[in-house]
Amino acid sequence: MTEQAAIRKQPSFREPTGKYTGILSWITSTDHKKIGLLYLYSIATFFIVGVLLGLAMKLELIAPGETIMKAQTYNQVFTLHGVIMIFLFIIPGIPASIGNFTLPLLIGAKDVSFPKINLLSWYLYVLGGLLALSTLLFGHGPADTGWTFYAPYSIKTGTNVTVAVLAAFVLGFSSILTGVNFLTTIHRMRCPGMSWFKMPLFPWSLYATAWIQVLATPIVGITLLMIVVERTLGVGFFDPAIGGDPILYQHLFWIYSHPAVYVMVLPAMGVVSEIIPVFVRKYIYGYKAIVVSGLAIAFVGYFVWGHHMFTSGMSDTARVVFSFITFLVAVPSGVKIFNWVATMYKGSIDLKPPLVYALSFIFLFMIGGLTGLVVGALATDIHVHATSFVVAHFHFTMFGGTGFAFLGAVHYWFPKIYGKIYNFKTAIIGWAILFVGFNLLYIPMFIMGIEGMPRRYYDYLPQFTNLNRLSTVGSWILATGLFIIFYNLVKGVRKGQPATDNIWNGKTLEWQTESPPSQENFETIPTVTEAPYNY
Amino acid sequence: MEIEPSNHVHLTEHRDDEGQRMGMWIFLFTEVILFGGLFLVYAVYRNMHPVDFHEGSIKLNVVIGAINTIILLTSSYFVAMAVSSMQKGKVKQARTLLLLTILCAIIFLVNKFFEWQTKFHHGLFPGMEEFYKLSHGESLFFILYFFMTGLHGVHVIVGAVFIGFILRYIKKGKVNPVRYTLLENSGLYWHLVDIIWIFLFPLFYLII
């Protein structure tokens, strides 16, 4: 099939269209594929910045006492790391980049419903990112509050909280516009024959995600604006000294920010649901159960925010109710895991890089999820709250979960995006190093957390030295793995072997068109007659 | 998806009126929730400081508030009429009605300006001396008053500019009796501006 790359029916979407060439043809394009890639590159850039900040934190923790930075710098580093990783990497990570590229392809559409708004949301994303980075340059440096901007400290600190908060606001707006766009696209643009229950699972997960983006993000938007007003006008929304209520801030913040973790993880689950049936050559087990559980996670996830505040001062009734609902979220998550594993039963398993990522997602996310029950239960949470246990739990779900799924998605759709293929062997080696480094980095943090190592401290008691050192070494291994993966992908883009249009023999629509797809995605709009994963 | 071929629409052009409206409705949900956050804050602080909120709200001018309510309701009527005029092909009438809507928006903002100015004269704005003599609850009342009516005012401006663009599009023929979804969407946005005020008015002026 070597001639296939040479003979194309339509020019690739990467060819310039419109009146500009070069980079201008990209940043003025309203093609969802170009916008998806713009997102992918900018997200990857911010991800690298975030990783470097994370490495700096781990290096500081290699020995007790001050090692490479002062306490104040450490506070600023972990705040900037959080802001970048949360608002610039993991929230837009899968939906805005991979989702933008693949959603119209998966549902047999030419583009999203609002292509111009799609481009606008990328510009807002870049603006927000630059605002966040600009806090490095002036005044007293980046915020030192943690990414949660808890009041009243965020009101009182002299660091650039106002700009950081505005950055988050702008990014929220970008996220809302993407959500509106995806919802309308999924409702209106599915190709003929694609009824709701013939839609592939990744669009389903984007659908559930988009509802959360649309319905939760405005709350944090308005809350962050209140922080800005409080800082500039000196009034007491949240500062108890002048009549405000800091607990109210925490409620408002988590009303958004807890559903936001499902914005982060639901698309990841969608990616895994796409990858597994392709590489085990079997119809996904319990298609409807996966769909419904995704919607259930999105719905129930709206009502669990209080579990971030078990120790902040709430009535016992509220705490018990929030804890119970938190446990409920575990049910649909468990349903998904069982379905994925059941799909693999008696399948013809082909351990290609995307499947390896999907499998490690299941493994790591399960650890993240089960340790979530420890922090979701009232009694044990008292013991481990604000320790490195929570940090490890969060990173297992977010990095081990969403991060691995993101890399899996990139490896899975890479041949569709570029029409080329990376080196499988290097991909697996990179994954293995990343996997080992990841576990070495975060498992010691679980143990230290239970033993009482607080989070967000740049210093620690001598008894934590060995585990912290192990964790730091893990961070280096993890970074090496990431470097190999990036190197392999970049090399694949530049010098990779040409890939056939349907290199994995997928059944979903994106594999039925050329690689890379043409500007219009499909020569003729496809018609769907059967369910998506009929192998 | 029905595509009505007409002189203005190329058949290859993607057009989905229903989708455009749906997008607008979803966006309006986000606006409702944006203000919802503030309503929540209002409810909490009103519950914490009922007496101070009473003290605050009797300082507001119910007459100006009521006049503004009537103006906004009338403007909503105008914009709704504009949509039906356009549907019936009465383009000129639609333009006049939209101009009247913008006029209402301007009158509303001028009223608001004078209302705020009086408050400034009484020093009831953060940073002014009188403000710091207020009780915690009352200062919260006034900052919520300025924040919420201010944010609403921003929405009035955005809505009026939106309608201004529609007027331009009508002139250029981009909005016309067969293709008027943008006009409908500007109307939807304007009704949102209206309905938020319908809640703000009683919360600040009437409940005392």
Side-chain angles (χ1 to χ4, degrees):
Chain A
M1 298 276 259
T2 40
E3 73 272 34
Q4 197 166 7
I7 307 161
R8 292 188 55 99
K9 296 173 191 128
Q10 301 274 332
S12 153
F13 76 95
R14 305 174 65 85
E15 302 297 325
T17 51
K19 52 184 170 180
Y20 300 111
T21 53
I23 194 159
L24 271 180
S25 82
W26 282 76
I27 61 172
T28 57
S29 169
T30 54
D31 179 10
H32 70 98
K33 298 180 287 301
K34 281 186 174 162
I35 296 170
L37 287 186
L38 287 175
Y39 261 117
L40 185 63
Y41 301 145
S42 27
I43 284 167
T45 311
F46 286 115
F47 177 66
I48 291 168
V49 177
V51 168
L52 291 176
L53 291 167
L55 284 175
M57 281 151 65
K58 285 277 101 176
L59 190 57
E60 166 58 39
L61 291 177
I62 197 168
E66 189 184 312
T67 317
I68 58 162
M69 59 179 96
K70 292 201 172 356
Q72 171 67 5
T73 318
Y74 186 80
N75 291 347
Q76 292 174 314
V77 169
F78 74 64
T79 303
L80 195 59
H81 170 81
V83 169
I84 287 179
M85 286 305 205
I86 298 277
F87 294 110
L88 288 158
F89 171 63
I90 211 143
I91 285 183
I94 295 178
S97 63
I98 304 289
N100 238 323
F101 192 97
T102 58
L103 171 65
L105 288 163
L106 276 160
I107 62 171
K110 285 183 177 176
D111 207 318
V112 291
S113 277
F114 305 107
K116 284 180 192 159
I117 288 178
N118 204 10
L119 183 63
L120 172 68
S121 74
W122 179 73
Y123 276 102
L124 287 174
Y125 171 83
V126 173
L127 174 69
L130 293 180
L131 274 175
L133 287 185
S134 76
T135 56
L136 283 164
L137 302 176
F138 61 93
H140 295 281
D144 57 350
T145 56
W147 76 278
T148 51
F149 304 117
Y150 266 17
Y153 183 64
S154 61
I155 311 295
K156 300 198 157 146
T157 171
T159 50
N160 297 326
V161 169
T162 308
V163 178
V165 157
L166 280 177
F169 179 80
V170 172
L171 292 166
F173 201 46
S174 161
S175 174
I176 286 176
L177 291 180
T178 307
V180 171
N181 219 335
F182 283 7
L183 284 179
T184 318
T185 308
I186 293 170
H187 269 279
R188 299 292 308 163
M189 312 259 301
R190 280 169 290 129
C191 67
M194 186 176 281
S195 56
W196 281 99
F197 285 106
K198 282 189 186 136
M199 188 162 75
L201 289 162
F202 184 48
W204 260 118
S205 71
L206 288 176
Y207 184 74
T209 307
W211 272 117
I212 310 177
Q213 282 176 299
V214 163
L215 294 181
T217 318
I219 295 280
V220 83
I222 199 69
T223 311
L224 296 177
L225 279 189
M226 281 187 247
I227 291 274
V228 173
V229 169
E230 181 149 7
R231 280 180 70 87
T232 43
L233 297 180
V235 290
F237 276 133
F238 304 123
D239 183 353
I242 39 180
D245 184 354
I247 303 288
L248 181 61
Y249 173 81
Q250 296 187 17
H251 278 293
L252 288 167
F253 182 81
W254 289 114
I255 284 176
Y256 163 72
S257 297
H258 192 79
V261 309
Y262 298 109
V263 171
M264 306 171 202
V265 86
L266 277 171
M269 293 171 158
V271 167
V272 172
S273 311
E274 260 342 291
I275 291 176
I276 286 182
V278 174
F279 292 92
V280 304
R281 316 303 306 163
K282 264 187 73 196
Y283 187 79
I284 187 105
Y285 182 86
Y287 169 91
K288 278 194 182 165
I290 294 186
V291 169
V292 173
S293 60
L295 296 173
I297 290 176
F299 180 75
V300 180
Y302 223 106
F303 304 99
V304 300
W305 78 83
H307 68 215
H308 294 272
M309 302 165 56
F310 283 159
T311 56
S312 322
M314 270 196 304
S315 72
D316 281 347
T317 319
R319 298 193 317 142
V320 169
V321 170
F322 275 123
S323 176
F324 176 71
I325 307 176
T326 303
F327 282 9
L328 275 188
V329 185
V331 176
S333 313
V335 166
K336 278 177 189 284
I337 301 229
F338 285 124
N339 279 324
W340 292 324
V341 177
T343 306
M344 292 172 46
Y345 179 65
K346 285 191 174 170
S348 146
I349 296 171
D350 186 8
L351 273 177
K352 291 268 165 47
L355 184 65
V356 172
Y357 278 105
L359 294 181
S360 45
F361 167 93
I362 298 179
F363 178 77
L364 298 173
F365 187 75
M366 242 165 51
I367 297 179
L370 291 173
T371 50
L373 296 177
V374 179
V375 279
L378 293 175
T380 42
D381 181 66
I382 303 287
H383 181 68
V384 295
H385 91 276
T387 66
S388 65
F389 186 91
V390 181
V391 183
H393 154 70
F394 185 72
H395 283 80
F396 257 88
T397 53
M398 287 301 127
F399 190 174
T402 311
F404 273 72
F406 174 76
L407 290 169
V410 172
H411 283 83
Y412 177 55
W413 279 298
F414 184 94
K416 183 48 62 185
I417 297 173
Y418 296 101
K420 293 179 185 170
I421 190 68
Y422 47 82
N423 184 314
F424 284 175
K425 207 173 154 191
T426 322
I428 299 278
I429 293 171
W431 165 83
I433 296 175
L434 176 70
F435 187 79
V436 170
F438 177 87
N439 284 300
L440 201 57
L441 167 53
Y442 294 111
I443 288 178
M445 291 175 78
F446 276 130
I447 303 166
M448 284 188 287
I450 289 182
E451 288 172 356
M453 162 92 192
R455 66 171 172 179
R456 294 180 169 178
Y457 278 31
Y458 86 127
D459 189 9
Y460 49 84
L461 296 171
Q463 73 246 38
F464 296 120
T465 310
N466 285 337
L467 283 169
N468 262 312
R469 205 157 274 178
L470 202 60
S471 178
T472 306
V473 173
S475 76
W476 300 337
I477 299 175
L478 176 140
T480 314
L482 279 176
F483 180 78
I484 294 173
I485 292 163
F486 273 113
Y487 168 79
N488 187 38
L489 290 174
V490 172
K491 202 176 149 203
V493 174
R494 286 166 170 258
K495 295 181 189 159
Q497 295 291 318
T500 55
D501 287 347
N502 190 356
I503 186 171
W504 313 122
N505 282 321
K507 290 275 186 182
T508 40
L509 288 175
E510 83 274 31
W511 299 110
Q512 316 311 324
T513 186
E514 291 174 279
S515 298
S518 66
Q519 174 82 16
E520 299 271 293
N521 289 351
F522 301 95
E523 241 184 312
T524 48
I525 289 292
T527 305
V528 171
T529 49
E530 54 180 15
Y533 309 104
N534 272 340
Y535 290 103
Chain B
M1 181 170 67
E2 307 110 73
I3 295 172
E4 286 178 51
S6 82
N7 298 336
H8 305 281
V9 183
H10 300 290
L11 276 176
T12 51
E13 185 187 12
H14 173 72
R15 180 180 159 196
D16 178 9
D17 291 347
E18 175 111 17
Q20 301 257 316
R21 276 193 292 271
M22 180 183 278
M24 192 67 200
W25 275 105
I26 296 169
F27 181 72
L28 294 185
F29 291 170
T30 71
E31 291 277 15
V32 168
I33 291 173
L34 187 80
F35 277 93
L38 285 169
F39 287 134
L40 182 69
V41 173
Y42 176 94
V44 168
Y45 287 136
R46 174 157 207 118
N47 190 39
M48 279 166 75
H49 311 277
V51 179
D52 294 341
F53 268 52
H54 167 76
E55 292 291 324
S57 85
I58 53 177
K59 291 195 177 109
L60 296 183
N61 189 334
V62 186
V63 179
I64 296 194
I67 291 173
N68 265 348
T69 310
I70 293 166
I71 292 171
L72 269 193
L73 283 174
T74 318
S75 71
S76 248
Y77 169 73
F78 286 147
V79 86
M81 286 280 284
V83 176
S84 0
S85 304
M86 186 56 90
Q87 284 168 334
K88 288 176 184 158
K90 297 176 184 166
V91 178
K92 210 173 161 196
Q93 195 182 40
R95 286 189 60 189
T96 318
L97 286 162
L98 287 181
L99 279 171
L100 282 172
T101 313
I102 294 182
L103 186 70
C104 284
I106 292 169
I107 299 174
F108 177 90
L109 288 172
V110 169
N111 273 344
K112 192 97 259 171
F113 170 78
F114 284 117
E115 198 188 354
W116 276 33
Q117 205 184 31
T118 341
K119 299 287 165 304
F120 289 154
H121 279 311
H122 296 141
L124 291 173
F125 193 73
M128 294 174 174
E129 222 171 285
E130 284 296 312
F131 188 80
Y132 295 105
K133 291 180 191 156
L134 296 174
S135 61
H136 284 164
E138 215 176 319
S139 70
L140 276 168
F141 176 85
F142 275 104
I143 191 61
L144 276 170
Y145 163 77
F146 281 114
F147 193 13
M148 290 171 83
T149 58
L151 191 65
H152 176 260
V154 171
H155 280 74
V156 171
I157 295 170
V158 171
V161 171
F162 193 176
I163 291 174
F165 270 102
I166 301 301
L167 276 169
R168 234 176 103 88
Y169 290 153
I170 293 178
K171 211 174 175 184
K172 283 186 181 167
K174 273 169 91 178
V175 171
N176 55 49
V178 276
R179 189 172 190 175
Y180 48 81
T181 321
L182 270 175
L183 170 61
E184 281 180 304
N185 279 350
S186 72
L188 281 175
Y189 190 86
W190 192 256
H191 294 317
L192 172 93
V193 170
D194 188 18
I195 205 163
I196 286 171
W197 181 257
I198 297 295
F199 283 91
L200 289 181
F201 176 58
L203 282 184
F204 285 105
Y205 296 80
L206 295 185
I207 308 174
I208 48 174

